[in-house]
Every structure is written in structure tokens, then in C-alpha cells.
């Protein structure tokens, strides 16, 4: 009997010990959270790409002057941009020596760097008409864009500053108030043209691109300019003395003069520009 009681007691103690070992383990184990099924996982809303701003419509206006209508006596207006950099003495000295009139479009930046050339211009008022090429050589386009890698003015206020800043620099250099404006790259949007015209400026286009932004070789530059016909307006550059194009410009001027060409400044003749640039 005693053996039965002892066996029963031993069994009871063993079962109690087994439960005592399991309870703390169960209480200390971290709670298991069932994963949310993939089918009901929250999905982020699709993000629509921002709409692209359409590129502005740009124009590159043409300009012609009144023809002489005399055989062998073509009338041509030479215009030169002085953007940045130094004066090209090859061209300047040819204009002075040959007494060839020209219209020079100067930026405020170029004026600061070339006081000697400015003095030559002012000493020869019968030859040189000085006009406005802007303050910082920024394209006169009133919406943001890139033109030949150059950032446009980007707003009507910035266009106005480019124009007014160029004119102010000219007056400070002793140059008469300008009446013509030509923006960097010679490209505009139509709204900027309207803004500049409302400021009282005529906008100078051209009909013959003489030197391709001063990037062409001397021979092709010479041929382009020498091909100018009665009523043409030629655009070239007078601010790149290290470029080959300048030599071609100087040679073409002599060629045209030898052919009996009449050179005039924009202020000397009537003109016609498209895209409402001179109306």
C-alpha cells in the first residue's frame, strides 16, 4: 500500500514540474503576428509625371534695307555684334582705313573691356552707328529655354532688364541713346518682340549671316559676305580677334568696296523687318 502511495506521489510531483517548466517559456515567448496577405497590402498611388513646359516658338527675323536699284551699285548695311571678348582690330582697322560705315551692336560687358575701341567708334561718328546688344548677352526670350546652350532671359522683367541695362551702359560710356536692339543669338519669341517694341526699339534682324557666329573659316566667311546683294543686311562679329572668320570679314569688305557697293548704316535708310520687328 505504501509503495502505491509513494508511486502516485512521485508521478504527481513529476507532472507538476513539467508544467512549471512550460509556463514561463510560454509567457516569455514573443507574440507571433500573422503576416498581412500580399493581396491586401497597401499599394502606393501612382505618381503622375509633372507636365513638361512646351518650348517657346522662336523666330529669327529678317531685315532688309531700301535698295538703290542702280546696276553695279548695290546698297548694303553692315552690322557687327560686339558680344564679349576683345575688339577684332583686323575688322575695325579695315572699316576705318577704307572709310566703310557700319552699325555696331555692343553689350555692356564688351564696353567695359574695350575702352580703346569705343574711343575709335566715338572719334568716327560719320562711320559708326552704335546700337544696343544688351547688358549681359542674354537671349531676349521671355520664357525659360536654352538657345545654342545659352539660357534665355526667361521672363518679361528679365527681358526688360537686358534691354535697359545695355542702354544704360551705352549712355554711361558717352554713346548716344540707342534706337535699335539686337538680342543675343538674334532669336526671340513673339511676346518678347512686342515687349521690346513697346519700349521704343526697332529690332535688328538680318538677311545675310556672314560668319556663322564667328565660327566659320576665313574663306567661306569672305564668300558669304561678298555675295551680299542690293538691300541686304549682313550680320558678323567684331569681338573674336583669334577666330579665322575675322580675316574673311576684312577681305570681304575690301572686295565689296571694289565692286562699287554702297555701305550704309541702319539709321541712314528705310528698312523692312518681318515678325513685326520694325512696324
Amino acid at each position: 500500500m505504501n509503495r502505491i502511495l509513494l508511486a502516485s506521489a512521485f508521478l504527481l510531483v513529476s507532472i507538476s514540474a513539467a508544467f512549471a517548466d512550460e509556463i514561463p517559456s510560454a509567457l516569455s515567448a514573443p507574440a507571433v503576428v500573422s503576416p498581412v496577405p500580399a493581396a491586401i497590402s497597401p499599394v502606393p498611388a501612382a505618381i503622375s509625371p509633372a507636365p513638361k513646359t512646351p518650348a517657346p516658338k522662336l523666330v529669327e527675323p529678317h531685315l532688309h534695307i531700301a535698295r538703290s536699284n542702280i546696276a553695279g551699285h548695290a546698297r548694303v548695311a553692315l552690322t557687327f555684334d560686339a558680344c564679349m571678348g576683345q575688339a577684332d582690330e583686323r575688322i575695325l582697322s579695315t572699316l576705318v582705313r577704307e572709310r566703310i560705315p557700319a552699325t555696331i551692336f555692343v553689350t555692356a560687358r564688351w564696353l567695359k573691356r574695350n575702352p580703346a575701341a569705343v574711343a575709335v567708334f566715338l572719334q568716327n561718328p560719320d562711320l559708326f552707328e552704335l546700337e544696343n546688344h544688351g547688358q549681359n548677352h542674354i537671349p531676349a526670350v521671355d520664357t525659360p529655354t536654352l538657345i545654342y546652350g545659352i539660357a534665355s532671359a526667361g521672363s518679361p522683367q528679365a527681358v526688360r532688364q537686358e534691354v535697359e541695362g545695355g542702354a544704360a551702359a551705352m549712355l554711361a560710356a558717352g554713346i548716344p541713346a540707342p534706337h535699335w536692339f539686337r538680342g543675343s543669338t538674334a532669336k526671340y519669341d513673339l511676346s518678347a518682340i512686342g515687349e521690346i517694341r513697346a519700349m521704343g526699339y526697332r529690332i535688328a534682324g538680318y538677311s545675310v549671316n556672314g560668319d556663322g557666329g564667328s565660327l566659320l573659316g576665313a574663306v567661306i566667311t569672305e564668300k558669304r559676305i561678298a555675295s551680299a546683294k542690293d538691300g541686304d543686311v549682313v550680320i558678323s562679329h567684331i569681338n573674336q580677334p583669334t577666330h579665322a572668320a575675322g580675316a574673311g570679314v576684312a577681305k570681304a569688305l575690301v572686295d565689296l568696296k571694289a565692286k562699287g557697293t554702297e555701305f550704309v548704316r541702319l539709321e541712314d535708310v528705310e528698312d523692312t523687318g518681318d515678325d513685326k520687328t520694325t512696324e
Side-chain angles (χ1 to χ4, degrees):
M1 183 68 178
N2 289 337
R3 289 179 180 176
I4 294 173
L5 290 174
L6 286 174
S8 299
F10 180 78
L11 180 61
L12 181 61
V13 170
S14 298
I15 294 172
S16 298
F19 273 105
D21 288 339
E22 288 295 329
I23 291 173
S25 176
L27 291 176
S28 62
V32 178
V33 180
S34 299
V36 178
I40 61 173
S41 295
V43 178
I47 300 175
S48 301
K52 292 184 178 180
T53 303
K57 178 183 178 182
L58 302 181
V59 296
E60 192 167 354
H62 295 94
L63 180 67
H64 288 86
I65 58 171
R67 298 176 180 177
S68 72
N69 291 318
I70 300 174
H73 189 78
R75 179 183 292 153
V76 173
L78 299 173
T79 69
F80 293 93
D81 288 357
C83 313
M84 295 169 280
Q86 301 295 329
D88 191 333
E89 290 295 335
R90 296 169 298 181
I91 300 172
L92 181 54
S93 62
T94 300
L95 292 170
V96 173
R97 183 183 66 250
E98 300 293 333
R99 307 311 293 172
I100 296 176
T103 302
I104 315 294
F105 287 86
V106 296
T107 66
R109 297 172 68 175
W110 189 88
L111 289 174
K112 289 179 181 179
R113 297 189 61 179
N114 296 275
V118 174
V120 173
F121 291 148
L122 295 178
Q123 290 163 7
N124 293 274
D126 58 322
L127 294 182
F128 300 114
E129 170 192 1
L130 300 180
E131 296 293 350
N132 188 356
H133 197 32
Q135 181 176 19
N136 291 308
H137 200 245
I138 295 173
V141 174
D142 60 15
T143 55
T145 191
L146 289 177
I147 307 172
Y148 304 134
I150 305 174
S152 66
S155 71
Q157 296 78 11
V159 169
R160 175 173 289 273
Q161 178 58 46
E162 176 70 0
V163 177
E164 291 182 341
M170 294 177 69
L171 293 174
I175 300 170
H179 303 288
W180 287 86
F181 177 80
R182 175 182 285 157
S184 167
T185 74
K187 291 181 182 289
Y188 315 82
D189 54 352
L190 296 178
S191 53
I193 287 176
E195 294 154 11
I196 297 167
R197 292 288 290 127
M199 296 171 66
Y201 287 90
R202 302 169 78 78
I203 297 175
Y206 61 90
S207 58
V208 175
N209 187 337
D211 62 2
S214 192
L215 299 177
L216 298 178
V219 174
I220 189 170
T221 296
E222 178 187 350
K223 289 181 178 179
R224 282 194 177 193
I225 298 176
S227 71
K229 297 177 176 58
D230 196 14
D232 272 333
V233 175
V234 179
I235 182 176
S236 296
H237 292 75
I238 196 169
N239 66 300
Q240 295 290 356
T242 63
H243 290 193
V249 172
K251 179 65 166 57
L253 299 181
V254 177
D255 294 345
L256 283 173
K257 183 179 179 181
K259 289 167 57 177
T261 301
E262 175 193 0
F263 297 104
V264 296
R265 302 169 300 183
L266 293 182
E267 65 181 350
D268 297 330
V269 289
E270 294 182 356
D271 53 76
T272 304
D274 57 13
D275 296 307
K276 298 184 178 181
T277 51
T278 61
E279 292 179 2

